[in-house]
Amino acid sequence: MSETKTVLIAGGGSGIGAAVAVAFAEAGYKVAISGRRKEVLDEVAASTEHEILCHAADVADRESVNSLFAWAAETLGTIDVFVNSAGINIPNRSMEKLSPEDWDLVIQVNATGAYNCMHAVLPAMREKKDGVIINICSVAGLRTSPLGGVVYNASKFAMDALGRSVGEEEREHGIRVTTIYPGEVETPILDKRPTPVSAEHRARILQPEDLAAAVLMVAQLPKRARVPELVMIPTSQSFQ
Ligand code: NAD
């Protein structure tokens, strides 16, 4: 790269977000990660010889998101690439079991959190007439599945619609929005499944590095190339 590009990753403390952070650091980007707990972020930073900057923030909390982007503006300067990999699911997933509190929580993190981050990152990107935003959604944002459950499906459909709508508006400002729809990936979010996931299954499905390679590819494309959607699923998983 001729000049050092910057990337900020929300939900960078584990799973896909942590793998994305390491991949971008290895590719020569100036990398910052964010998540709710600073000590978890520090562990990711310590896992690589490259520098990764860390800042605690909760995507569901607008003030916290605004302080994150103020910190990033000071530390990174401009943000060339923003990746949102913050997301949750809950164990009680059927409508019969889902509590109103769990509905609110998942919508606040997965849907409103994605909105909060985009709302905060876009003004500087518009001013620069450049920028890439990559939201990690889910195949549950394209087709509902009992595996993800009622509120996860609803939150991911919202994230899908958000990315598509904003992507169409912002391309006129030179900003490219990509929504990535992964199938099953071996990350800590699987621990929230109502039925435990076997070691054999975990070995068969996508690994966080597979998603990190896709995120890096999208970010490195020339400005003329826009990827509105990217679906990646394990070969073992059906897509019908
Ligand atoms: P993960 O649990 O390792 O990563 C999610 C990260 O988001 C965690 O580090 C978590 O601490 C962080 N987070 C949660 N709430 C937050 C909040 N309020 N503010 C800031 N950070 C918060 O699991 P993952 O699989 O890497 O998940 C990343 C994204 O990928 C999620 O949106 C998830 O829904 C999506 N996804 C995962 C799979 C899968 O099978 N693993 C499949 C499709 C989509």
Side-chain angles (χ1 to χ4, degrees), residues 10-17 34-37 57-60 84-88 109-110 136-139 152 156 159 182-190 193:
S14 62
I16 298 167
S34 164
R36 287 159 304 171
R37 284 161 302 152
D58 179 343
V59 296
N84 179 16
S85 192
I88 54 166
V109 176
N110 294 2
I136 308 297
C137 187
S138 168
V139 285
Y152 187 78
K156 293 297 184 177
M159 205 179 178
E184 290 184 283
V185 192
E186 155 56 346
T187 72
I189 209 172
L190 297 190
R193 289 241 180 112

PDB file of all heavy atoms in Angstrom, residues 10-17 34-37 57-60 84-88 109-110 136-139 152 156 159 182-190 193, ligand 1:
ATOM      1  N   ALA A  10     -15.681  -2.981  15.058  1.00  0.00           N
ATOM      2  CA  ALA A  10     -16.530  -3.122  16.255  1.00  0.00           C
ATOM      3  C   ALA A  10     -16.819  -4.598  16.444  1.00  0.00           C
ATOM      4  O   ALA A  10     -17.061  -5.314  15.474  1.00  0.00           O
ATOM      5  CB  ALA A  10     -17.824  -2.338  16.072  1.00  0.00           C
ATOM      6  N   GLY A  11     -16.775  -5.056  17.691  1.00  0.00           N
ATOM      7  CA  GLY A  11     -16.912  -6.494  17.950  1.00  0.00           C
ATOM      8  C   GLY A  11     -15.623  -7.209  17.598  1.00  0.00           C
ATOM      9  O   GLY A  11     -15.626  -8.354  17.147  1.00  0.00           O
ATOM     10  N   GLY A  12     -14.504  -6.526  17.844  1.00  0.00           N
ATOM     11  CA  GLY A  12     -13.192  -7.065  17.462  1.00  0.00           C
ATOM     12  C   GLY A  12     -12.535  -7.923  18.533  1.00  0.00           C
ATOM     13  O   GLY A  12     -11.401  -8.372  18.367  1.00  0.00           O
ATOM     14  N   GLY A  13     -13.240  -8.177  19.639  1.00  0.00           N
ATOM     15  CA  GLY A  13     -12.626  -8.906  20.747  1.00  0.00           C
ATOM     16  C   GLY A  13     -12.627 -10.414  20.589  1.00  0.00           C
ATOM     17  O   GLY A  13     -11.942 -11.115  21.344  1.00  0.00           O
ATOM     18  N   SER A  14     -13.385 -10.939  19.639  1.00  0.00           N
ATOM     19  CA  SER A  14     -13.421 -12.405  19.472  1.00  0.00           C
ATOM     20  C   SER A  14     -13.933 -12.766  18.081  1.00  0.00           C
ATOM     21  O   SER A  14     -14.342 -11.881  17.308  1.00  0.00           O
ATOM     22  CB  SER A  14     -14.321 -13.045  20.537  1.00  0.00           C
ATOM     23  OG  SER A  14     -15.649 -12.583  20.388  1.00  0.00           O
ATOM     24  N   GLY A  15     -13.891 -14.054  17.783  1.00  0.00           N
ATOM     25  CA  GLY A  15     -14.501 -14.596  16.576  1.00  0.00           C
ATOM     26  C   GLY A  15     -14.075 -13.913  15.287  1.00  0.00           C
ATOM     27  O   GLY A  15     -12.884 -13.654  15.068  1.00  0.00           O
ATOM     28  N   ILE A  16     -15.066 -13.602  14.460  1.00  0.00           N
ATOM     29  CA  ILE A  16     -14.803 -13.031  13.134  1.00  0.00           C
ATOM     30  C   ILE A  16     -14.074 -11.695  13.256  1.00  0.00           C
ATOM     31  O   ILE A  16     -13.091 -11.439  12.554  1.00  0.00           O
ATOM     32  CB  ILE A  16     -16.133 -12.860  12.353  1.00  0.00           C
ATOM     33  CG1 ILE A  16     -16.811 -14.224  12.139  1.00  0.00           C
ATOM     34  CG2 ILE A  16     -15.901 -12.162  11.019  1.00  0.00           C
ATOM     35  CD1 ILE A  16     -18.260 -14.154  11.655  1.00  0.00           C
ATOM     36  N   GLY A  17     -14.537 -10.824  14.166  1.00  0.00           N
ATOM     37  CA  GLY A  17     -13.937  -9.495  14.319  1.00  0.00           C
ATOM     38  C   GLY A  17     -12.461  -9.562  14.687  1.00  0.00           C
ATOM     39  O   GLY A  17     -11.644  -8.801  14.150  1.00  0.00           O
ATOM     40  N   SER A  34     -12.714  -2.539  18.807  1.00  0.00           N
ATOM     41  CA  SER A  34     -13.578  -2.089  19.882  1.00  0.00           C
ATOM     42  C   SER A  34     -14.508  -3.219  20.294  1.00  0.00           C
ATOM     43  O   SER A  34     -14.807  -4.109  19.505  1.00  0.00           O
ATOM     44  CB  SER A  34     -14.352  -0.890  19.341  1.00  0.00           C
ATOM     45  OG  SER A  34     -15.424  -0.633  20.153  1.00  0.00           O
ATOM     46  N   GLY A  35     -14.925  -3.183  21.546  1.00  0.00           N
ATOM     47  CA  GLY A  35     -15.836  -4.175  22.101  1.00  0.00           C
ATOM     48  C   GLY A  35     -16.145  -3.713  23.506  1.00  0.00           C
ATOM     49  O   GLY A  35     -15.626  -2.679  23.939  1.00  0.00           O
ATOM     50  N   ARG A  36     -16.987  -4.468  24.221  1.00  0.00           N
ATOM     51  CA  ARG A  36     -17.406  -3.953  25.527  1.00  0.00           C
ATOM     52  C   ARG A  36     -16.306  -4.033  26.572  1.00  0.00           C
ATOM     53  O   ARG A  36     -16.221  -3.203  27.443  1.00  0.00           O
ATOM     54  CB  ARG A  36     -18.646  -4.705  26.019  1.00  0.00           C
ATOM     55  CG  ARG A  36     -19.898  -4.338  25.263  1.00  0.00           C
ATOM     56  CD  ARG A  36     -20.925  -5.411  25.396  1.00  0.00           C
ATOM     57  NE  ARG A  36     -20.397  -6.695  24.950  1.00  0.00           N
ATOM     58  CZ  ARG A  36     -21.007  -7.867  25.097  1.00  0.00           C
ATOM     59  NH1 ARG A  36     -22.172  -7.918  25.679  1.00  0.00           N
ATOM     60  NH2 ARG A  36     -20.458  -8.979  24.649  1.00  0.00           N
ATOM     61  N   ARG A  37     -15.458  -5.086  26.500  1.00  0.00           N
ATOM     62  CA  ARG A  37     -14.470  -5.274  27.573  1.00  0.00           C
ATOM     63  C   ARG A  37     -13.048  -5.076  27.065  1.00  0.00           C
ATOM     64  O   ARG A  37     -12.585  -5.797  26.184  1.00  0.00           O
ATOM     65  CB  ARG A  37     -14.622  -6.672  28.177  1.00  0.00           C
ATOM     66  CG  ARG A  37     -15.824  -6.777  29.108  1.00  0.00           C
ATOM     67  CD  ARG A  37     -16.231  -8.198  29.334  1.00  0.00           C
ATOM     68  NE  ARG A  37     -16.544  -8.848  28.060  1.00  0.00           N
ATOM     69  CZ  ARG A  37     -16.415 -10.142  27.814  1.00  0.00           C
ATOM     70  NH1 ARG A  37     -15.944 -10.951  28.729  1.00  0.00           N
ATOM     71  NH2 ARG A  37     -16.721 -10.642  26.627  1.00  0.00           N
ATOM     72  N   ALA A  57     -16.142  -0.005  23.890  1.00  0.00           N
ATOM     73  CA  ALA A  57     -17.393   0.685  23.545  1.00  0.00           C
ATOM     74  C   ALA A  57     -18.496  -0.348  23.357  1.00  0.00           C
ATOM     75  O   ALA A  57     -18.246  -1.483  22.953  1.00  0.00           O
ATOM     76  CB  ALA A  57     -17.233   1.510  22.269  1.00  0.00           C
ATOM     77  N   ASP A  58     -19.716   0.100  23.646  1.00  0.00           N
ATOM     78  CA  ASP A  58     -20.901  -0.755  23.503  1.00  0.00           C
ATOM     79  C   ASP A  58     -21.710  -0.201  22.329  1.00  0.00           C
ATOM     80  O   ASP A  58     -22.190   0.934  22.381  1.00  0.00           O
ATOM     81  CB  ASP A  58     -21.696  -0.664  24.819  1.00  0.00           C
ATOM     82  CG  ASP A  58     -22.971  -1.499  24.788  1.00  0.00           C
ATOM     83  OD1 ASP A  58     -23.428  -1.882  23.691  1.00  0.00           O
ATOM     84  OD2 ASP A  58     -23.519  -1.744  25.877  1.00  0.00           O
ATOM     85  N   VAL A  59     -21.878  -0.991  21.267  1.00  0.00           N
ATOM     86  CA  VAL A  59     -22.553  -0.473  20.065  1.00  0.00           C
ATOM     87  C   VAL A  59     -24.024  -0.125  20.319  1.00  0.00           C
ATOM     88  O   VAL A  59     -24.618   0.649  19.577  1.00  0.00           O
ATOM     89  CB  VAL A  59     -22.463  -1.440  18.858  1.00  0.00           C
ATOM     90  CG1 VAL A  59     -21.031  -1.638  18.392  1.00  0.00           C
ATOM     91  CG2 VAL A  59     -23.157  -2.764  19.129  1.00  0.00           C
ATOM     92  N   ALA A  60     -24.602  -0.713  21.383  1.00  0.00           N
ATOM     93  CA  ALA A  60     -26.007  -0.458  21.680  1.00  0.00           C
ATOM     94  C   ALA A  60     -26.209   0.880  22.399  1.00  0.00           C
ATOM     95  O   ALA A  60     -27.336   1.337  22.551  1.00  0.00           O
ATOM     96  CB  ALA A  60     -26.574  -1.584  22.539  1.00  0.00           C
ATOM     97  N   ASN A  84     -18.323  -3.819  11.076  1.00  0.00           N
ATOM     98  CA  ASN A  84     -19.154  -4.087  12.254  1.00  0.00           C
ATOM     99  C   ASN A  84     -19.355  -5.586  12.395  1.00  0.00           C
ATOM    100  O   ASN A  84     -20.104  -6.198  11.642  1.00  0.00           O
ATOM    101  CB  ASN A  84     -20.515  -3.396  12.154  1.00  0.00           C
ATOM    102  CG  ASN A  84     -21.367  -3.704  13.376  1.00  0.00           C
ATOM    103  OD1 ASN A  84     -20.858  -4.163  14.407  1.00  0.00           O
ATOM    104  ND2 ASN A  84     -22.651  -3.468  13.277  1.00  0.00           N
ATOM    105  N   SER A  85     -18.663  -6.157  13.391  1.00  0.00           N
ATOM    106  CA  SER A  85     -18.800  -7.589  13.669  1.00  0.00           C
ATOM    107  C   SER A  85     -19.382  -7.809  15.066  1.00  0.00           C
ATOM    108  O   SER A  85     -19.290  -8.903  15.609  1.00  0.00           O
ATOM    109  CB  SER A  85     -17.436  -8.279  13.524  1.00  0.00           C
ATOM    110  OG  SER A  85     -17.593  -9.680  13.513  1.00  0.00           O
ATOM    111  N   ALA A  86     -19.971  -6.757  15.632  1.00  0.00           N
ATOM    112  CA  ALA A  86     -20.587  -6.890  16.962  1.00  0.00           C
ATOM    113  C   ALA A  86     -21.953  -7.532  16.797  1.00  0.00           C
ATOM    114  O   ALA A  86     -22.746  -7.092  15.965  1.00  0.00           O
ATOM    115  CB  ALA A  86     -20.720  -5.522  17.620  1.00  0.00           C
ATOM    116  N   GLY A  87     -22.212  -8.557  17.551  1.00  0.00           N
ATOM    117  CA  GLY A  87     -23.520  -9.204  17.439  1.00  0.00           C
ATOM    118  C   GLY A  87     -23.714 -10.218  18.547  1.00  0.00           C
ATOM    119  O   GLY A  87     -22.747 -10.701  19.143  1.00  0.00           O
ATOM    120  N   ILE A  88     -24.980 -10.505  18.839  1.00  0.00           N
ATOM    121  CA  ILE A  88     -25.287 -11.488  19.889  1.00  0.00           C
ATOM    122  C   ILE A  88     -26.461 -12.364  19.475  1.00  0.00           C
ATOM    123  O   ILE A  88     -27.210 -12.029  18.557  1.00  0.00           O
ATOM    124  CB  ILE A  88     -25.660 -10.822  21.242  1.00  0.00           C
ATOM    125  CG1 ILE A  88     -26.806  -9.802  21.065  1.00  0.00           C
ATOM    126  CG2 ILE A  88     -24.473 -10.189  21.896  1.00  0.00           C
ATOM    127  CD1 ILE A  88     -27.434  -9.382  22.383  1.00  0.00           C
ATOM    128  N   VAL A 109     -28.559  -4.512  20.044  1.00  0.00           N
ATOM    129  CA  VAL A 109     -27.155  -4.757  19.659  1.00  0.00           C
ATOM    130  C   VAL A 109     -27.043  -4.972  18.143  1.00  0.00           C
ATOM    131  O   VAL A 109     -26.265  -4.305  17.457  1.00  0.00           O
ATOM    132  CB  VAL A 109     -26.573  -5.970  20.423  1.00  0.00           C
ATOM    133  CG1 VAL A 109     -25.159  -6.282  19.938  1.00  0.00           C
ATOM    134  CG2 VAL A 109     -26.586  -5.721  21.924  1.00  0.00           C
ATOM    135  N   ASN A 110     -27.827  -5.914  17.606  1.00  0.00           N
ATOM    136  CA  ASN A 110     -27.633  -6.313  16.207  1.00  0.00           C
ATOM    137  C   ASN A 110     -28.166  -5.285  15.202  1.00  0.00           C
ATOM    138  O   ASN A 110     -27.501  -5.015  14.190  1.00  0.00           O
ATOM    139  CB  ASN A 110     -28.313  -7.655  15.936  1.00  0.00           C
ATOM    140  CG  ASN A 110     -27.668  -8.804  16.710  1.00  0.00           C
ATOM    141  OD1 ASN A 110     -26.735  -8.602  17.475  1.00  0.00           O
ATOM    142  ND2 ASN A 110     -28.163 -10.007  16.521  1.00  0.00           N
ATOM    143  N   ILE A 136     -21.146  -7.399   9.185  1.00  0.00           N
ATOM    144  CA  ILE A 136     -21.272  -8.862   9.231  1.00  0.00           C
ATOM    145  C   ILE A 136     -22.698  -9.180   9.662  1.00  0.00           C
ATOM    146  O   ILE A 136     -23.068  -8.985  10.827  1.00  0.00           O
ATOM    147  CB  ILE A 136     -20.256  -9.502  10.220  1.00  0.00           C
ATOM    148  CG1 ILE A 136     -18.815  -9.018   9.935  1.00  0.00           C
ATOM    149  CG2 ILE A 136     -20.349 -11.030  10.147  1.00  0.00           C
ATOM    150  CD1 ILE A 136     -18.238  -9.370   8.591  1.00  0.00           C
ATOM    151  N   CYS A 137     -23.491  -9.642   8.708  1.00  0.00           N
ATOM    152  CA  CYS A 137     -24.899  -9.961   8.956  1.00  0.00           C
ATOM    153  C   CYS A 137     -25.002 -11.466   9.209  1.00  0.00           C
ATOM    154  O   CYS A 137     -24.307 -12.008  10.079  1.00  0.00           O
ATOM    155  CB  CYS A 137     -25.716  -9.476   7.758  1.00  0.00           C
ATOM    156  SG  CYS A 137     -27.478  -9.586   7.923  1.00  0.00           S
ATOM    157  N   SER A 138     -25.768 -12.197   8.414  1.00  0.00           N
ATOM    158  CA  SER A 138     -25.921 -13.657   8.572  1.00  0.00           C
ATOM    159  C   SER A 138     -26.831 -14.139   7.455  1.00  0.00           C
ATOM    160  O   SER A 138     -27.664 -13.360   6.967  1.00  0.00           O
ATOM    161  CB  SER A 138     -26.578 -13.965   9.918  1.00  0.00           C
ATOM    162  OG  SER A 138     -26.985 -15.319   9.969  1.00  0.00           O
ATOM    163  N   VAL A 139     -26.731 -15.420   7.114  1.00  0.00           N
ATOM    164  CA  VAL A 139     -27.731 -15.963   6.174  1.00  0.00           C
ATOM    165  C   VAL A 139     -29.128 -15.872   6.797  1.00  0.00           C
ATOM    166  O   VAL A 139     -30.127 -15.854   6.085  1.00  0.00           O
ATOM    167  CB  VAL A 139     -27.427 -17.418   5.723  1.00  0.00           C
ATOM    168  CG1 VAL A 139     -26.295 -17.458   4.727  1.00  0.00           C
ATOM    169  CG2 VAL A 139     -27.164 -18.329   6.901  1.00  0.00           C
ATOM    170  N   TYR A 152     -33.201 -13.113  16.459  1.00  0.00           N
ATOM    171  CA  TYR A 152     -31.949 -13.047  15.686  1.00  0.00           C
ATOM    172  C   TYR A 152     -32.296 -12.847  14.209  1.00  0.00           C
ATOM    173  O   TYR A 152     -31.724 -11.977  13.537  1.00  0.00           O
ATOM    174  CB  TYR A 152     -31.143 -14.333  15.902  1.00  0.00           C
ATOM    175  CG  TYR A 152     -29.752 -14.325  15.290  1.00  0.00           C
ATOM    176  CD1 TYR A 152     -28.701 -13.658  15.911  1.00  0.00           C
ATOM    177  CD2 TYR A 152     -29.489 -15.001  14.104  1.00  0.00           C
ATOM    178  CE1 TYR A 152     -27.424 -13.665  15.370  1.00  0.00           C
ATOM    179  CE2 TYR A 152     -28.215 -15.017  13.548  1.00  0.00           C
ATOM    180  CZ  TYR A 152     -27.183 -14.347  14.189  1.00  0.00           C
ATOM    181  OH  TYR A 152     -25.917 -14.366  13.633  1.00  0.00           O
ATOM    182  N   LYS A 156     -31.345  -9.539  12.003  1.00  0.00           N
ATOM    183  CA  LYS A 156     -30.456  -9.655  10.838  1.00  0.00           C
ATOM    184  C   LYS A 156     -31.165  -9.199   9.559  1.00  0.00           C
ATOM    185  O   LYS A 156     -30.528  -8.672   8.657  1.00  0.00           O
ATOM    186  CB  LYS A 156     -29.931 -11.084  10.711  1.00  0.00           C
ATOM    187  CG  LYS A 156     -28.982 -11.486  11.861  1.00  0.00           C
ATOM    188  CD  LYS A 156     -27.719 -10.635  11.877  1.00  0.00           C
ATOM    189  CE  LYS A 156     -26.734 -11.068  12.942  1.00  0.00           C
ATOM    190  NZ  LYS A 156     -25.481 -10.294  12.930  1.00  0.00           N
ATOM    191  N   MET A 159     -30.667  -5.554   9.690  1.00  0.00           N
ATOM    192  CA  MET A 159     -29.291  -5.201   9.328  1.00  0.00           C
ATOM    193  C   MET A 159     -29.109  -5.262   7.805  1.00  0.00           C
ATOM    194  O   MET A 159     -28.460  -4.410   7.194  1.00  0.00           O
ATOM    195  CB  MET A 159     -28.366  -6.210  10.005  1.00  0.00           C
ATOM    196  CG  MET A 159     -26.988  -5.715  10.259  1.00  0.00           C
ATOM    197  SD  MET A 159     -26.051  -7.021  11.099  1.00  0.00           S
ATOM    198  CE  MET A 159     -24.488  -6.182  11.192  1.00  0.00           C
ATOM    199  N   PRO A 182     -22.704 -14.635   6.489  1.00  0.00           N
ATOM    200  CA  PRO A 182     -22.057 -15.933   6.706  1.00  0.00           C
ATOM    201  C   PRO A 182     -23.070 -16.996   7.109  1.00  0.00           C
ATOM    202  O   PRO A 182     -24.077 -16.700   7.759  1.00  0.00           O
ATOM    203  CB  PRO A 182     -21.088 -15.681   7.871  1.00  0.00           C
ATOM    204  CG  PRO A 182     -21.147 -14.223   8.185  1.00  0.00           C
ATOM    205  CD  PRO A 182     -22.434 -13.721   7.621  1.00  0.00           C
ATOM    206  N   GLY A 183     -22.765 -18.233   6.725  1.00  0.00           N
ATOM    207  CA  GLY A 183     -23.427 -19.386   7.326  1.00  0.00           C
ATOM    208  C   GLY A 183     -22.721 -19.671   8.638  1.00  0.00           C
ATOM    209  O   GLY A 183     -22.181 -18.751   9.279  1.00  0.00           O
ATOM    210  N   GLU A 184     -22.658 -20.933   9.036  1.00  0.00           N
ATOM    211  CA  GLU A 184     -22.086 -21.247  10.349  1.00  0.00           C
ATOM    212  C   GLU A 184     -20.569 -21.042  10.399  1.00  0.00           C
ATOM    213  O   GLU A 184     -19.845 -21.521   9.518  1.00  0.00           O
ATOM    214  CB  GLU A 184     -22.364 -22.707  10.695  1.00  0.00           C
ATOM    215  CG  GLU A 184     -23.822 -22.997  10.992  1.00  0.00           C
ATOM    216  CD  GLU A 184     -23.997 -24.437  11.432  1.00  0.00           C
ATOM    217  OE1 GLU A 184     -23.970 -25.330  10.560  1.00  0.00           O
ATOM    218  OE2 GLU A 184     -24.125 -24.666  12.643  1.00  0.00           O
ATOM    219  N   VAL A 185     -20.127 -20.332  11.434  1.00  0.00           N
ATOM    220  CA  VAL A 185     -18.698 -20.064  11.640  1.00  0.00           C
ATOM    221  C   VAL A 185     -18.326 -20.510  13.057  1.00  0.00           C
ATOM    222  O   VAL A 185     -19.085 -20.249  14.005  1.00  0.00           O
ATOM    223  CB  VAL A 185     -18.374 -18.553  11.501  1.00  0.00           C
ATOM    224  CG1 VAL A 185     -16.864 -18.333  11.416  1.00  0.00           C
ATOM    225  CG2 VAL A 185     -19.086 -17.928  10.314  1.00  0.00           C
ATOM    226  N   GLU A 186     -17.176 -21.126  13.197  1.00  0.00           N
ATOM    227  CA  GLU A 186     -16.726 -21.621  14.508  1.00  0.00           C
ATOM    228  C   GLU A 186     -16.214 -20.455  15.365  1.00  0.00           C
ATOM    229  O   GLU A 186     -15.068 -20.008  15.248  1.00  0.00           O
ATOM    230  CB  GLU A 186     -15.649 -22.697  14.258  1.00  0.00           C
ATOM    231  CG  GLU A 186     -14.623 -22.974  15.336  1.00  0.00           C
ATOM    232  CD  GLU A 186     -15.185 -23.348  16.698  1.00  0.00           C
ATOM    233  OE1 GLU A 186     -16.372 -23.164  16.970  1.00  0.00           O
ATOM    234  OE2 GLU A 186     -14.380 -23.773  17.523  1.00  0.00           O
ATOM    235  N   THR A 187     -17.126 -19.884  16.175  1.00  0.00           N
ATOM    236  CA  THR A 187     -16.783 -18.750  17.046  1.00  0.00           C
ATOM    237  C   THR A 187     -17.518 -18.912  18.383  1.00  0.00           C
ATOM    238  O   THR A 187     -18.428 -19.741  18.492  1.00  0.00           O
ATOM    239  CB  THR A 187     -17.230 -17.400  16.422  1.00  0.00           C
ATOM    240  OG1 THR A 187     -18.652 -17.329  16.498  1.00  0.00           O
ATOM    241  CG2 THR A 187     -16.760 -17.215  14.998  1.00  0.00           C
ATOM    242  N   PRO A 188     -17.198 -18.069  19.369  1.00  0.00           N
ATOM    243  CA  PRO A 188     -17.856 -18.186  20.680  1.00  0.00           C
ATOM    244  C   PRO A 188     -19.374 -18.016  20.651  1.00  0.00           C
ATOM    245  O   PRO A 188     -20.047 -18.458  21.587  1.00  0.00           O
ATOM    246  CB  PRO A 188     -17.200 -17.060  21.501  1.00  0.00           C
ATOM    247  CG  PRO A 188     -15.867 -16.866  20.865  1.00  0.00           C
ATOM    248  CD  PRO A 188     -16.060 -17.124  19.408  1.00  0.00           C
ATOM    249  N   ILE A 189     -19.943 -17.408  19.598  1.00  0.00           N
ATOM    250  CA  ILE A 189     -21.405 -17.218  19.567  1.00  0.00           C
ATOM    251  C   ILE A 189     -22.124 -18.572  19.540  1.00  0.00           C
ATOM    252  O   ILE A 189     -23.265 -18.684  19.987  1.00  0.00           O
ATOM    253  CB  ILE A 189     -21.825 -16.307  18.373  1.00  0.00           C
ATOM    254  CG1 ILE A 189     -23.122 -15.537  18.691  1.00  0.00           C
ATOM    255  CG2 ILE A 189     -21.999 -17.089  17.092  1.00  0.00           C
ATOM    256  CD1 ILE A 189     -23.505 -14.465  17.656  1.00  0.00           C
ATOM    257  N   LEU A 190     -21.440 -19.618  19.074  1.00  0.00           N
ATOM    258  CA  LEU A 190     -22.051 -20.956  19.023  1.00  0.00           C
ATOM    259  C   LEU A 190     -22.332 -21.488  20.431  1.00  0.00           C
ATOM    260  O   LEU A 190     -23.193 -22.354  20.613  1.00  0.00           O
ATOM    261  CB  LEU A 190     -21.149 -21.952  18.280  1.00  0.00           C
ATOM    262  CG  LEU A 190     -20.845 -21.701  16.804  1.00  0.00           C
ATOM    263  CD1 LEU A 190     -20.160 -22.917  16.195  1.00  0.00           C
ATOM    264  CD2 LEU A 190     -22.101 -21.380  16.010  1.00  0.00           C
ATOM    265  N   ARG A 193     -25.942 -21.526  21.645  1.00  0.00           N
ATOM    266  CA  ARG A 193     -26.979 -22.393  21.060  1.00  0.00           C
ATOM    267  C   ARG A 193     -27.665 -23.217  22.149  1.00  0.00           C
ATOM    268  O   ARG A 193     -26.997 -23.683  23.086  1.00  0.00           O
ATOM    269  CB  ARG A 193     -26.337 -23.373  20.064  1.00  0.00           C
ATOM    270  CG  ARG A 193     -25.857 -22.688  18.806  1.00  0.00           C
ATOM    271  CD  ARG A 193     -26.577 -23.251  17.602  1.00  0.00           C
ATOM    272  NE  ARG A 193     -26.117 -22.602  16.387  1.00  0.00           N
ATOM    273  CZ  ARG A 193     -25.415 -23.204  15.435  1.00  0.00           C
ATOM    274  NH1 ARG A 193     -25.082 -24.471  15.553  1.00  0.00           N
ATOM    275  NH2 ARG A 193     -25.071 -22.555  14.354  1.00  0.00           N
TER     276      ARG A 193
HETATM  277  P1  NAD B   1     -18.500 -13.631  18.644  1.00  0.00           P
HETATM  278  O1  NAD B   1     -19.453 -13.782  19.772  1.00  0.00           O
HETATM  279  O2  NAD B   1     -17.128 -14.145  18.818  1.00  0.00           O
HETATM  280  O3  NAD B   1     -18.370 -12.099  18.192  1.00  0.00           O
HETATM  281  C1  NAD B   1     -19.303 -11.112  18.477  1.00  0.00           C
HETATM  282  C2  NAD B   1     -18.570  -9.982  19.157  1.00  0.00           C
HETATM  283  O4  NAD B   1     -19.478  -8.892  19.373  1.00  0.00           O
HETATM  284  C3  NAD B   1     -18.037 -10.410  20.534  1.00  0.00           C
HETATM  285  O5  NAD B   1     -16.670 -10.053  20.632  1.00  0.00           O
HETATM  286  C4  NAD B   1     -18.888  -9.629  21.495  1.00  0.00           C
HETATM  287  O6  NAD B   1     -18.241  -9.300  22.696  1.00  0.00           O
HETATM  288  C5  NAD B   1     -19.213  -8.382  20.661  1.00  0.00           C
HETATM  289  N1  NAD B   1     -20.394  -7.676  21.159  1.00  0.00           N
HETATM  290  C6  NAD B   1     -21.552  -8.210  21.603  1.00  0.00           C
HETATM  291  N2  NAD B   1     -22.357  -7.235  22.022  1.00  0.00           N
HETATM  292  C7  NAD B   1     -21.698  -6.073  21.832  1.00  0.00           C
HETATM  293  C8  NAD B   1     -22.007  -4.727  22.091  1.00  0.00           C
HETATM  294  N3  NAD B   1     -23.180  -4.369  22.636  1.00  0.00           N
HETATM  295  N4  NAD B   1     -21.101  -3.770  21.767  1.00  0.00           N
HETATM  296  C9  NAD B   1     -19.911  -4.115  21.229  1.00  0.00           C
HETATM  297  N5  NAD B   1     -19.553  -5.388  20.979  1.00  0.00           N
HETATM  298  C10 NAD B   1     -20.440  -6.348  21.288  1.00  0.00           C
HETATM  299  O7  NAD B   1     -19.199 -14.323  17.408  1.00  0.00           O
HETATM  300  P2  NAD B   1     -18.965 -14.112  15.832  1.00  0.00           P
HETATM  301  O8  NAD B   1     -19.508 -15.310  15.192  1.00  0.00           O
HETATM  302  O9  NAD B   1     -17.587 -13.664  15.525  1.00  0.00           O
HETATM  303  O10 NAD B   1     -19.994 -12.931  15.545  1.00  0.00           O
HETATM  304  C11 NAD B   1     -19.690 -11.826  14.711  1.00  0.00           C
HETATM  305  C12 NAD B   1     -20.910 -11.486  13.875  1.00  0.00           C
HETATM  306  O11 NAD B   1     -21.108 -12.565  12.940  1.00  0.00           O
HETATM  307  C13 NAD B   1     -22.206 -11.403  14.687  1.00  0.00           C
HETATM  308  O12 NAD B   1     -22.989 -10.332  14.224  1.00  0.00           O
HETATM  309  C14 NAD B   1     -22.893 -12.711  14.382  1.00  0.00           C
HETATM  310  O13 NAD B   1     -24.299 -12.592  14.483  1.00  0.00           O
HETATM  311  C15 NAD B   1     -22.449 -12.929  12.943  1.00  0.00           C
HETATM  312  N6  NAD B   1     -22.588 -14.299  12.455  1.00  0.00           N
HETATM  313  C16 NAD B   1     -21.988 -15.330  13.092  1.00  0.00           C
HETATM  314  C17 NAD B   1     -22.166 -16.626  12.608  1.00  0.00           C
HETATM  315  C18 NAD B   1     -21.559 -17.819  13.278  1.00  0.00           C
HETATM  316  O14 NAD B   1     -21.984 -18.957  12.990  1.00  0.00           O
HETATM  317  N7  NAD B   1     -20.571 -17.666  14.114  1.00  0.00           N
HETATM  318  C19 NAD B   1     -22.938 -16.834  11.462  1.00  0.00           C
HETATM  319  C20 NAD B   1     -23.520 -15.759  10.841  1.00  0.00           C
HETATM  320  C21 NAD B   1     -23.327 -14.487  11.336  1.00  0.00           C
END
